[in-house]
Amino acid sequence: MKAGIFTVTIEKIVDMGVQQTRHFKLVFDPSVNFDFDAGQFINIMVPETPEHKALKRPYSIASPPDWKGYLDLCWKRIEGGIATNYLWQLKEGDKLQIQGPLGRFTVKQPLPKTIVYISTGTGIAPFRSMIYNLLKKGAPCEIWNIFGNRFDEDILYKEEFEDWAKEHSNFRNVFTVSRPKTWKGENQYVQHMLKKYIPDPRDKHIYICGLTNMIMEVQATALEMGFAKEQIIYEKYD
Ligand SMILES: Cc1cc2nc3c(=O)[nH]c(=O)nc-3n(C[C@H](O)[C@H](O)[C@H](O)COP(=O)(O)OP(=O)(O)OC[C@H]3O[C@@H](n4cnc5c(N)ncnc54)[C@H](O)[C@@H]3O)c2cc1C
């Protein structure tokens, strides 16, 4: 679908974790048929204020294409951030202008035997869309979700991913928490999880999403392990 500009209504706002992260459900007008590929993003149009000009910022679509009529977003408030502080003061029922769908961070064909998704924080957003979509379509590959966070409470969509893993024997989560409180699971960085769980690079694609530092570290580890550049696909948030 060609990108356009749409007005959406914020139907639901959910506070997630401890890091000032919010989930938005954005509903389209019933006459709109918004079609996109899992992994794509939209721009949020931030109106002009006395402090800044009108601007746009990209946010990954966190829901899969076949949840029709709405989009989920998952975003973190940044101190002093223009777009996220604009979003922070919005309430359920408010309207928002978006532009999309945009981006090429989508599932690469032909599918390999194994797909490894690696993210930290809100970098999980496009993977919620891609993973659900692949599982729903019965994709014949093994799917891993390596998801790193600082604190126990920050594992976004944890129960949902756990439910998907119970329902699909080809899907596995590796949650890792770097500053655990009561968490007893993995506690090393995501690149260590890649080494531990995916030692053999053959017939695999790695998708990475989040901040540049993390992406560069995971990529360096993957290359060291023998992955080729073509097997590593990423989306930088900063
Ligand atoms: C393709 C794409 C998809 C994205 N999807 C998402 C998403 O789904 N959820 C989401 O939360 N963000 C996402 N981002 C990041 C988002 O677009 C904004 O950059 C971010 O929300 C900050 O915007 P802002 O206007 O509030 O901050 P700005 O006013 O742009 O920045 C203020 C300061 O904070 C720094 N900064 C910017 N982002 C971060 C960050 N994440 N952590 C720490 N410091 C930062 C900047 O360098 C700057 O110094 C995505 C980015 C891209 C390119």
Side-chain angles (χ1 to χ4, degrees), residues 21 41-42 46 55-62 73-87 122-123 125-126 209 211 235-238:
T21 300
F41 67 87
I42 49 118
V46 182
L55 52 91
K56 27 187 172 179
R57 289 272 190 273
Y59 291 88
S60 303
I61 302 171
L73 297 186
C74 180
W75 55 274
K76 181 185 163 182
R77 185 187 191 187
I78 303 297
E79 212 183 308
I82 294 177
T84 52
N85 280 287
Y86 160 68
L87 293 173
T122 57
C209 186
L211 298 177
E235 181 102 287
K236 289 181 183 175
Y237 273 6
D238 58 337

Side-chain angles (χ1 to χ4, degrees), residues 37-49:
D37 293 324
Q40 286 194 293
F41 67 87
I42 49 118
N43 277 326
I44 287 190
M45 321 294 274
V46 182
E48 184 178 347
T49 71

Side-chain angles (χ1 to χ4, degrees), residues 104-112 114-119 127 130 134 144 146 204-209 218 231-235:
R104 291 158 188 254
F105 187 60
T106 53
V107 178
K108 211 167 137 174
Q109 301 287 346
L111 294 177
T114 304
I115 301 182
V116 185
Y117 290 104
I118 304 181
S119 61
F127 298 158
M130 289 191 205
L134 287 166
W144 289 75
I146 299 181
K204 298 184 175 72
H205 289 166
I206 301 176
Y207 292 79
I208 321 167
C209 186
V218 175
Q231 289 174 278
I232 308 167
I233 306 124
Y234 54 78
E235 181 102 287

Side-chain angles (χ1 to χ4, degrees), residues 104-161:
R104 291 158 188 254
F105 187 60
T106 53
V107 178
K108 211 167 137 174
Q109 301 287 346
L111 294 177
K113 196 165 156 244
T114 304
I115 301 182
V116 185
Y117 290 104
I118 304 181
S119 61
T120 53
T122 57
I124 193 70
F127 298 158
R128 183 174 182 247
S129 179
M130 289 191 205
I131 292 170
Y132 182 91
N133 205 40
L134 287 166
L135 294 175
K136 180 84 192 299
K137 285 186 175 152
C141 39
E142 209 178 276
I143 302 167
W144 289 75
N145 177 30
I146 299 181
F147 185 26
N149 284 283
R150 268 191 212 158
F151 304 112
D152 311 27
E153 311 87 305
D154 290 342
I155 308 172
L156 301 166
Y157 307 109
K158 180 168 180 280
E159 278 162 27
E160 195 178 58
F161 283 122

